[in-house]
Amino acid sequence: MTTEERTTEERSHGLRRFFERLTASEEELDAEELQRDSRKCGAVPATQCHRGQVVSVSGRLRTVAYTPRTNLPTLEADLYDGSDVVTLVFLGRRSIVGIEPGRQLTARGRIAIRDERKVIYNPYYELEAPR
């Protein structure tokens, strides 16, 4: 491939990318940004996480819910990285300062599957500064 052909191909790709961004929905653009941020910090995309794997995932908390149970209360937070959701389950907790919808964080732990959903129990986590 000659230099001229490569330059033309790069221009074509750039133009295609420009029009894709113009026609993309806000949710698609947000998901793309989350995936880009996740890659930057070296996290594993949630779609590539498998049961038993120790992973680091990064994204934004969509929902946070306290689930009172008779034997063990839990705080559950859905972390979305732009590709899929991983539920973070904090056993024995009613609330955690900073764990709230909209916060960005990176969590590390072993992936489990519960009700066909990816879950990390009692993850190590780092909150990112609010934007």
Side-chain angles (χ1 to χ4, degrees):
M1 183 180 283
T2 67
T3 306
E4 188 175 314
E5 289 173 327
R6 255 184 275 155
T7 306
T8 304
E9 188 176 310
E10 288 170 1
R11 259 191 244 127
S12 171
H13 177 71
L15 244 150
R16 190 174 333 115
R17 182 76 190 118
F18 173 74
F19 285 115
E20 284 173 1
R21 289 189 62 77
L22 274 179
T23 59
S25 71
E26 206 168 309
E27 290 83 20
E28 291 170 325
L29 293 173
D30 186 46
E32 197 174 284
E33 181 182 346
L34 284 169
Q35 289 176 26
R36 195 171 34 253
D37 291 347
S38 181
R39 278 191 303 271
K40 279 182 190 175
C41 74
V44 175
T47 54
Q48 295 177 13
C49 295
H50 302 287
R51 171 192 248 154
Q53 198 178 21
V54 175
V55 297
S56 178
V57 290
S58 182
R60 184 179 304 127
L61 294 176
R62 278 188 164 173
T63 61
V64 177
Y66 167 64
T67 309
R69 295 207 167 100
T70 55
N71 55 349
L72 184 66
T74 61
L75 182 67
E76 298 186 11
D78 286 341
L79 181 71
Y80 178 63
D81 75 345
S83 67
D84 200 2
V85 174
V86 175
T87 301
L88 309 177
V89 179
F90 300 92
L91 300 171
R93 303 296 299 262
R94 287 181 168 74
S95 67
I96 299 173
V97 175
I99 301 293
E100 55 197 30
R103 281 301 294 266
Q104 297 274 134
L105 68 82
T106 300
R108 185 174 187 284
R110 186 173 304 277
I111 294 287
I113 304 295
R114 182 183 76 185
D115 300 329
E116 298 181 28
R117 296 175 51 198
K118 296 171 186 173
V119 175
I120 299 177
Y121 290 97
N122 292 327
Y124 295 101
Y125 65 94
E126 290 180 30
L127 293 169
E128 294 182 19
R131 295 181 183 189

